[in-house]
Amino acid sequence: MNGLSLTLSRGVARVTEAALGPYQSAVIRIGFAGTWLLFLLREFPHRQELYGPSGPWGWNLAKELTADNHAFTALLWSDGRLWFEFCYMLAVLAATALMLGWRTRTASLLFMVGVLSLQNRSVFVGDGGDNVLHLMSIYLVFTRCGQVWSLDARRAARVAATRARGERVPADRVGPVLWAVLGLALGTATLTGRFDNGWLIPALLWTAWAVLGLWWAVGRRAAWHEPRALLDVIANVLHNGALVVIMAEACLIYATAGWYKVQGSRWQDGTAVYYPLHLDYFSPWPGLADLMSSSGTIMMIVAYGTVMVQVAFPFTLFNRRVKNVLLVLMMTEHAVIAVVLGLPFFSLAMIAADAVFLPTSFLRRLGDLAARARGRLTRSTGGTVPAPRSPEDSTADHVGFTA
């Protein structure tokens, strides 16, 4: 009994004392934000037809649909072109800020609003990758994904260095201004009845806004150690829970996809991969598709291998080496899909979801390589190179309105 109690206490301590997977949460933050940003930039010339007033899915049709399914979208607050352009640019800026890790908490909220607003405005535009991005934009709000590889972490390191030298830390002015602007926007939207399709997203936004204000207020009082510790524990539990949900979501996607494929006759006879390669919509490189489909044996191996990898992946999480091998196979498969079938953003979204399972040692080596490359580039341009830092030294979550 004592052994069980000790195990439980260690488990509770591990979940509450730290935000686990700092590198994994950072890489999925960069992956999903970067995927959405690239998509918005690529479709910028066609934005009016996809999500705006010029699209075939008109404003009235979208209004009727969202009234029925209670989906949130800020684009339906007005049918004007200027409002659409403002929302689209806000989505671009939020994705950029989240990818860079600038004011990560606020950026993650705006990122979620941008993704939901655009995707729910035109629900028939998109593919499976958009569904993944839709869900992950909500989950990221609950993570402390700016602990490493972010501008927030760099700013926190400068603050910590300043305090270590005994110097006075300049007051953060950007955070309170952002908080006030967001509060004004939320208050205006609420009082004018814009949140008329459901309570979930408005409740989440108001709760996050209130918590950010409380976090800032507690952080300004050096003597409030207990409230600060309590907020840290709650944030760690939410982060770790959200990370588990993201992992479970990725496993569920692969498991359901694999078991559905098992039931298909084309997957059973090994010909399922052949047919998409010869559809004009999925053949940006017809010569490459013909070369790949010229061998029936290769098509059969790819079809059976895809099913086996997807069905087996959730069960391999208990064996690190097997899991890493399957991760490489799945990421390679998505890279091939991006090139051969012309689905780059679907593949990028799935690769970002897979990245949550990457080993910490590999991600740290990847970060070190990127830091050395940046250092060489900085020295060649005559700049200064910031010292590398670990997440254990991070105080990004202790500076108001950051990660």
Side-chain angles (χ1 to χ4, degrees):
M1 194 65 179
N2 291 333
L4 177 60
S5 299
L6 183 60
T7 302
L8 288 176
S9 63
R10 287 176 178 172
V12 171
R14 181 170 175 79
V15 171
T16 58
E17 289 179 353
L20 304 176
Y23 292 97
Q24 286 79 4
S25 58
V27 77
I28 61 175
R29 181 199 86 228
I30 296 170
F32 286 116
T35 299
W36 182 240
L37 177 62
L38 289 175
F39 174 79
L40 293 178
L41 294 178
R42 192 195 73 167
E43 300 298 341
F44 189 81
H46 315 292
R47 63 193 184 283
Q48 294 285 348
E49 290 75 18
L50 288 175
Y51 304 111
S54 302
W57 188 249
W59 191 83
N60 291 327
L61 289 173
K63 196 73 174 175
E64 292 180 14
L65 180 61
T66 54
D68 182 61
N69 62 14
H70 304 292
F72 168 81
T73 171
L75 285 178
L76 295 181
W77 292 355
S78 172
D79 60 350
R81 189 178 298 271
L82 184 61
W83 175 248
F84 167 76
E85 297 292 351
F86 171 78
C87 290
Y88 198 93
M89 289 308 302
L90 181 63
V92 171
L93 294 176
T96 304
L98 185 62
M99 184 179 67
L100 297 177
W102 184 81
R103 306 288 167 172
T104 315
R105 279 288 187 220
T106 304
S108 65
L109 289 168
L110 294 177
F111 177 75
M112 178 192 70
V113 170
V115 171
L116 297 184
S117 295
L118 289 170
Q119 290 189 353
N120 290 336
R121 169 61 178 84
S122 298
V123 294
F124 299 108
V125 176
D127 51 32
D130 294 283
N131 295 333
V132 175
L133 189 61
H134 191 105
L135 294 171
M136 296 302 177
S137 68
I138 301 175
Y139 301 152
L140 281 173
V141 171
F142 299 94
T143 64
R144 306 179 86 168
C145 53
Q147 297 179 90
V148 296
W149 299 347
S150 67
L151 296 179
D152 286 343
R154 292 184 61 185
R155 184 173 66 253
R158 291 196 296 268
V159 169
T162 302
R163 287 174 176 166
R165 294 192 299 268
E167 300 175 3
R168 180 178 177 274
V169 178
D172 179 24
R173 302 183 184 278
V174 178
V177 170
L178 280 176
W179 184 79
V181 170
L182 290 178
L184 179 62
L186 278 175
T188 302
T190 302
L191 294 176
T192 55
R194 301 299 182 183
F195 297 121
D196 56 352
N197 279 343
W199 60 269
L200 182 60
I201 298 300
L204 177 58
L205 293 175
W206 274 114
T207 301
W209 180 80
V211 169
L212 286 174
L214 178 62
W215 197 287
W216 177 79
V218 171
R220 284 176 59 86
R221 301 293 187 271
W224 289 9
H225 300 296
E226 291 80 6
R228 180 70 207 195
L230 177 60
L231 290 178
D232 268 333
V233 167
I234 295 174
N236 290 336
V237 171
L238 288 175
H239 167 89
N240 295 329
L243 210 58
V244 170
V245 170
I246 291 173
M247 293 179 179
E249 187 71 43
C251 290
L252 185 63
I253 290 171
Y254 283 117
T256 53
W259 285 109
Y260 271 110
K261 287 181 174 68
V262 168
Q263 303 173 50
S265 59
R266 297 304 180 193
W267 289 98
Q268 292 174 7
D269 61 27
T271 62
V273 179
Y274 174 85
Y275 297 101
L277 293 175
H278 293 275
L279 294 176
D280 292 338
Y281 186 78
F282 295 110
S283 298
W285 313 99
L288 181 59
D290 291 339
L291 178 63
M292 291 185 62
S293 61
S294 61
S295 173
T297 303
I298 293 178
M299 291 292 96
M300 184 182 67
I301 293 174
V302 171
Y304 287 167
T306 299
V307 174
M308 287 188 291
V309 167
Q310 291 183 348
V311 171
F313 179 72
F315 303 100
T316 65
L317 298 182
F318 303 100
N319 189 302
R320 184 176 59 183
R321 293 181 178 178
V322 178
K323 180 260 295 183
N324 291 340
V325 172
L326 290 189
L327 270 179
V328 173
L329 292 176
M330 290 191 300
M331 289 183 171
T332 302
E333 178 187 18
H334 289 307
V336 172
I337 289 174
V339 176
V340 178
L341 297 182
L343 296 172
F345 300 108
F346 165 78
S347 298
L348 285 175
M350 293 307 303
I351 290 174
D354 294 341
V356 74
F357 298 105
L358 288 173
T360 300
S361 58
F362 169 77
L363 292 176
R364 296 188 69 164
R365 286 196 296 270
L366 188 65
D368 291 340
L369 289 174
R372 285 197 290 269
R374 185 184 64 185
R376 287 194 294 268
L377 179 62
T378 304
R379 283 191 293 270
S380 66
T381 56
T384 59
V385 184
R389 54 193 302 274
S390 66
E392 291 78 7
D393 301 326
S394 175
T395 55
D397 286 335
H398 300 270
V399 181
F401 305 92
T402 60

